Amino acid sequence: MSAADLRTGAAILRALSAASATHLHAHALKLGILPSCLHLCSALLKSDASSGRVAAARQLFDEIPSRDVPLWNALVSAYACSGHPRHALVAASAMARDAGARPNCVSVTSLLSACTQLRSPVHGRELHGYAVRNVVDLDLPMLNALVNMYGKCGRLADARMVFAGIKVGMRSAVSWTSMINACSENERPIEALEVFEEMRIAGVKVDEVTLLAVISACAKLDCTSSLGDWVEQCALDNGFLQNTRVANALIHMHGKMGRVRRSCEIFDSMGFKTVVSWTAIIQALAMNGHGVAALVRFAQMLREGLHPDEVVFLSIINACGHSSLVNEVRQLFKSMVQEYGITPWMEHYGSMVDMLCKAGALDEAFEFVLAMPVKPDPVIWRILAGACRDHGNASLARRVMDHVISMEHDHDGNYILASNLYAADEDWRRVIDVRLDMGVRKGTSRGAIAASYVEVNDD
């Protein structure tokens, strides 16, 4: 079999399904053309990784005695793209140490993706420095990856610097979108919109990902309706108004702007609705105080035959909780666990406790927390403690604070909360005990603290 035939086989492999790729892998082994053909090995490795078979990709790699830089790149990319960023960095180190191969622009681009996942600007800057010193031509994918990495790692100034170094005529939609996201994710939504306007002036075609980034930036602003109309018109002008993901984002954006009627109009006009679509409209209704309407939408979703997930249940529980639909929330939580077999998140438990506390059902909330199959986090206990304070339930407050302090004995706020609770009940002995405990934890003796209280009282 000629080298050209093997390269053709590798190209065909990239278009095959995972099952077909597995069969071809086995057939290639029988023919004895593995591991001599690096083109085919690289394609098989990428196929394994894209199908989630990372262990199989690594096994194939280990079976190849002679590895070139493209094959190492395939392994690094496989790890980075399959959510194993640390393995990607380790593979790159082995590439340089064991094989004596220097990472090239393709390697660095994959490694920057790994740094982005790890939110590691230190490794990212090291890679940037390596690329400047050792890579002759920093290509556009690498520069885009640098902008994205710096943005995701909170280094907006560095992202701006790299972006500014890309000639305007070279910037692709990915370049502009990376910079828009960098601004938006670093709490600069107005700057993100300014970058988008520059992109339009430059005549770069807006794609779906760019539009989603712009909508996300708008949702972070305390916007007027005119801005909402403007971004929606951008979606219409670029042919994305009927795109499901864009419509979902617009529903969420209008909901945050308080334009729940427009959210409903967009939702009702959608030809195809996903679980995310239903979640978006339920959240839009919830954040604007329309608990009953959100419950109606949830019922419609079930009639459509869609299976609610954890996010939908959290949204509808919060919606009903904000509208004081206590019985409905109890039934929803029960349905989530018993009918749909969903394991609640800590957020679900927290929403239940918050709802019961706001309804004044403190004893029920306390029993609910004690019955949780997982250990309640301190936030849940503090919600309950605050409700005891607001409702003047001193006896339950003492029991709750014992749990809170035992969980986070180093948290000053817990001692202050306990002291305030006891002071509201005029239980001054407990106030002093809590203050003494807090002082001892900081290294002051109980005798010295007690003496200071005596001096204050004598004065």
Side-chain angles (χ1 to χ4, degrees):
M1 188 176 289
S2 68
D5 290 335
L6 290 174
R7 282 194 293 270
T8 302
I12 294 172
L13 177 62
R14 288 191 289 270
L16 292 177
S17 66
S20 299
T22 302
H23 289 310
L24 184 56
H25 187 174
H27 188 59
L29 286 171
K30 288 180 181 180
L31 292 176
I33 59 175
L34 287 180
S36 59
C37 176
L38 294 182
H39 287 292
L40 191 57
C41 287
S42 180
L44 282 167
L45 196 153
K46 292 176 182 177
S47 174
D48 284 337
S50 64
S51 303
R53 302 190 304 276
V54 182
R58 179 71 211 207
Q59 182 179 354
L60 172 62
F61 180 84
D62 290 338
E63 292 171 355
I64 302 169
S66 178
R67 304 155 186 162
D68 59 4
V69 171
L71 194 65
W72 278 100
N73 286 343
L75 180 66
V76 171
S77 176
Y79 280 132
C81 294
S82 58
H84 296 82
R86 295 190 187 280
H87 288 81
L89 295 175
V90 170
S93 296
M95 174 183 179
R97 183 185 64 248
D98 301 336
R102 300 179 72 84
N104 58 17
C105 58
V106 177
S107 319
V108 173
T109 301
S110 295
L111 290 169
L112 286 169
S113 172
C115 294
T116 301
Q117 294 173 55
L118 293 170
R119 297 296 189 268
S120 176
V122 174
H123 287 105
R125 286 184 68 86
E126 289 176 354
L127 277 168
H128 190 180
Y130 169 86
V132 170
R133 292 189 304 270
N134 297 282
V135 178
V136 176
D137 183 23
L138 303 188
D139 63 9
L140 188 59
M142 185 195 298
L143 293 171
N144 292 342
L146 279 167
V147 174
N148 185 54
M149 181 275 296
Y150 281 129
K152 291 286 195 300
C153 293
R155 304 295 294 264
L156 183 57
D158 290 323
R160 288 194 193 103
M161 178 191 69
V162 175
F163 182 76
I166 306 173
K167 294 180 181 179
V168 176
M170 285 180 56
R171 294 172 184 167
S172 65
V174 176
S175 312
W176 290 99
T177 303
S178 297
M179 193 62 224
I180 292 169
N181 276 324
C183 295
S184 180
E185 291 166 3
N186 286 279
E187 307 307 321
R188 297 286 194 278
I190 293 177
E191 186 177 340
L193 297 182
E194 291 171 350
V195 173
F196 177 61
E197 190 59 27
E198 290 177 26
M199 175 184 178
R200 298 178 71 192
I201 293 171
V204 178
K205 184 174 177 60
V206 176
D207 61 15
E208 174 191 350
V209 181
T210 306
L211 200 53
L212 289 171
V214 173
I215 295 171
S216 176
C218 289
K220 293 182 179 181
L221 290 166
D222 187 13
C223 300
T224 62
S225 59
S226 60
L227 184 57
D229 291 336
W230 171 77
V231 73
E232 192 174 321
Q233 186 62 44
C234 288
L236 179 63
D237 293 343
N238 290 278
F240 289 109
L241 199 55
Q242 297 303 314
N243 180 289
T244 301
R245 293 178 64 195
V246 171
N248 294 342
L250 288 170
I251 291 168
H252 176 72
M253 180 197 72
H254 284 301
K256 289 200 70 174
M257 292 179 179
R259 306 180 72 198
V260 67
R261 182 184 295 276
R262 184 58 190 145
S263 292
C264 291
E265 290 172 351
I266 294 173
F267 179 82
D268 291 334
S269 69
M270 294 176 67
F272 175 72
K273 301 180 180 74
T274 64
V275 172
V276 176
S277 309
W278 289 96
T279 304
I281 192 62
I282 289 170
Q283 288 176 340
L285 291 164
M287 68 180 71
N288 287 280
H290 301 290
V292 174
L295 195 59
V296 169
R297 293 290 188 177
F298 180 73
Q300 290 175 344
M301 173 186 166
L302 298 183
R303 286 198 298 272
E304 292 285 337
L306 277 79
H307 195 286
D309 60 12
E310 294 89 344
V311 180
V312 174
F313 269 110
L314 183 60
S315 300
I316 190 61
I317 286 172
N318 285 333
C320 293
H322 293 156
S323 298
S324 302
L325 302 173
V326 180
N327 290 331
E328 287 78 3
V329 172
R330 290 191 184 104
Q331 185 57 43
L332 284 165
F333 191 89
K334 181 180 178 182
S335 173
M336 177 180 69
V337 176
Q338 296 182 1
E339 293 183 36
Y340 293 95
I342 294 175
T343 301
W345 296 341
M346 195 61 70
E347 290 85 352
H348 294 104
Y349 290 116
S351 294
M352 281 293 296
V353 172
D354 185 56
M355 180 274 299
L356 291 170
C357 288
K358 287 178 179 177
L362 301 188
D363 290 328
E364 182 182 350
F366 185 62
E367 293 301 323
F368 178 85
V369 172
L370 293 180
M372 285 173 55
V374 295
K375 185 178 181 180
D377 67 9
V379 174
I380 289 179
W381 284 114
R382 282 198 285 269
I383 291 172
L384 191 51
C388 291
R389 176 197 60 207
D390 296 340
H391 289 272
N393 192 330
S395 61
L396 184 57
R398 295 188 187 98
R399 298 170 67 189
V400 171
M401 287 314 304
D402 288 342
H403 286 282
V404 173
I405 292 176
S406 67
M407 287 186 67
E408 285 188 316
H409 60 274
D410 290 331
H411 193 289
D412 286 348
N414 293 336
Y415 292 91
I416 295 170
L417 176 59
S419 176
N420 292 339
L421 283 169
Y422 300 143
D425 193 44
E426 298 184 356
D427 189 342
W428 305 114
R429 182 184 63 80
R430 281 183 173 268
V431 171
I432 293 173
D433 285 343
V434 169
R435 293 287 179 173
L436 286 171
D437 288 340
M438 184 167 65
V440 169
R441 186 179 54 78
K442 291 184 175 181
T444 308
S445 70
R446 291 179 69 89
I449 299 169
S452 68
Y453 273 101
V454 171
E455 291 174 5
V456 171
N457 290 333
D458 288 343
D459 291 343

